[in-house]
Amino acid sequence: MIAVLSDVHGNLEALQAVLEDAAREGASRVVSLGDVVGYGANPNECVERVAKEASTMVLGNHDQAAIDESASEHFNAVARRAIEWTRQELTPENIQRLRETAVEAVEDGQRYVHASPDDPLSWNYVLTHSDALAAFECFSERICWIGHSHVPARLLLRGGELKILHDVEFKIPEDGRALVNVGSVGQPRDGDWMASYALFDASTQRVIARRVSYDREAAASKILAAGLPEILARRLALGR
Ligand code: ZN
C-alpha cells in the first residue's frame, strides 16, 4: 500500500496525523507531491519529516518559491508574506533538500506531479472537465497523482469517457486510467477541515481517499505566534 500526500504547507500536526493514519492502514511507502512548505509554521520540521518518510518526493510551486525568490512574483499578498517568512526560516540543509527535488517522477506505471502533468513547471490547475481531458493526454501511465488545488478529486478515463468518481474508494478497471488529486494535508480547501490524502493498493488496484482529524488549534496557534497572516490560522478551521 502506498500513501500519496500533497500540500503539507508547513502544518506539522496534520502531517503527523496523516503519517500515523497511513501506517495504521498498512502503507509501506509514502510519496509526497510537493508544497511541503508555505503558509504553515513548521517548514523545517515538515521538510525533514517528509524527506525521512517519503521514498519519492516532487517539487511544488511553494517549494520552488522558497528556494527561488523570482518564483513568488505571481503569489497573492498573503502567500508571498508566508513564503518570505518561510525562506528566512528554512535551514541551509532543508533548502538544499528542496533544490534536489525533482519536478516529476514516474515509477511502477504511475506518474507523480504537483500540478497538471501538461507542463509541470507552469503549475497549471486541473479544475474543469476540459482541463482533465487535456491532462490525460499528457501522461501515458495508468495513474497520474496530483495535488496543487487543495481539493481532492478522482477521475477515471475509460473508453474515451471521462467520469468523476464520488465514492471514497474505487478500483481502477483493467481498461481504465485514473487522475487522482489527493487534496491537501495541511490546508484543505474543499470545505472539510480534515487533512486529506490517498492510499493506493497495487495488488487490488484500489484508490482510497482518506480524511484525518488533527490538532488544528495547535497548528493555528503556531501560525499566529510566528506572526504569519491571521487568515492562515483562521482558514484551517474552515477548510477553505
Ligand atoms: Zn499548495
Side-chain angles (χ1 to χ4, degrees), residues 3 5 29-34 50-51 53-58 101-102 104-107 112:
L5 53 90
R29 264 188 69 198
V30 175
V31 174
S32 165
L33 302 179
V50 168
E53 304 278 345
S55 56
T56 301
M57 55 193 275
V58 297
T101 303
E104 61 187 328
V106 174
E107 285 165 11
Y112 302 109

Side-chain angles (χ1 to χ4, degrees), residues 9-224:
H9 283 296
N11 185 336
L12 183 62
E13 286 72 22
L15 174 61
Q16 273 164 345
V18 160
L19 291 172
E20 279 163 24
D21 185 75
R24 256 194 318 269
E25 292 296 312
S28 54
R29 264 188 69 198
V30 175
V31 174
S32 165
L33 302 179
D35 276 6
V36 179
V37 304
Y39 300 135
N42 288 115
N44 284 306
E45 294 81 354
C46 289
V47 171
E48 284 153 18
R49 193 77 203 271
V50 168
K52 182 168 167 248
E53 304 278 345
S55 56
T56 301
M57 55 193 275
V58 297
L59 195 75
N61 55 315
H62 287 251
D63 304 326
Q64 182 196 38
I67 55 177
D68 173 6
E69 240 170 274
S70 65
S72 59
E73 272 164 19
H74 305 292
F75 278 26
N76 66 41
V78 167
R80 194 170 321 129
R81 256 188 72 195
I83 209 68
E84 281 162 5
W85 178 89
T86 300
R87 227 178 266 138
Q88 303 291 320
E89 285 291 306
L90 282 173
T91 64
E93 292 78 16
N94 288 330
I95 287 175
Q96 191 54 31
R97 283 190 172 106
L98 295 178
R99 278 194 208 288
E100 287 163 2
T101 303
V103 93
E104 61 187 328
V106 174
E107 285 165 11
D108 308 323
Q110 316 202 39
R111 181 170 295 258
Y112 302 109
V113 61
H114 182 68
S116 173
D118 64 349
D119 179 14
L121 280 170
S122 297
W123 314 112
N124 295 319
Y125 288 95
V126 180
L127 298 174
T128 65
H129 195 93
S130 61
D131 294 344
L133 276 177
F136 270 105
E137 297 282 306
C138 302
F139 68 94
S140 54
E141 294 76 22
R142 221 165 119 66
I143 316 174
C144 178
W145 300 88
I146 63 170
H148 194 40
S149 68
H150 299 206
V151 175
R154 298 169 288 285
L155 302 162
L156 183 71
L157 186 68
R158 192 184 190 191
E161 199 197 325
L162 182 69
K163 238 169 104 176
I164 300 168
L165 304 168
H166 297 287
D167 292 338
V168 292
E169 192 171 331
F170 74 97
K171 181 181 160 72
I172 303 171
E174 287 276 320
D175 57 348
R177 291 198 300 138
L179 179 66
V180 181
N181 189 318
V182 300
S184 169
V185 170
Q187 195 198 78
R189 293 180 193 160
D190 62 337
D192 181 347
W193 65 271
M194 291 201 279
S196 175
Y197 80 103
L199 290 166
F200 177 63
D201 185 343
S203 65
T204 60
Q205 293 292 300
R206 293 189 91 79
V207 174
I208 304 144
R210 302 281 301 166
R211 298 307 285 245
V212 185
S213 75
Y214 72 94
D215 188 350
R216 64 166 200 243
E217 266 149 40
S221 305
K222 286 193 208 165
I223 286 172
L224 297 176

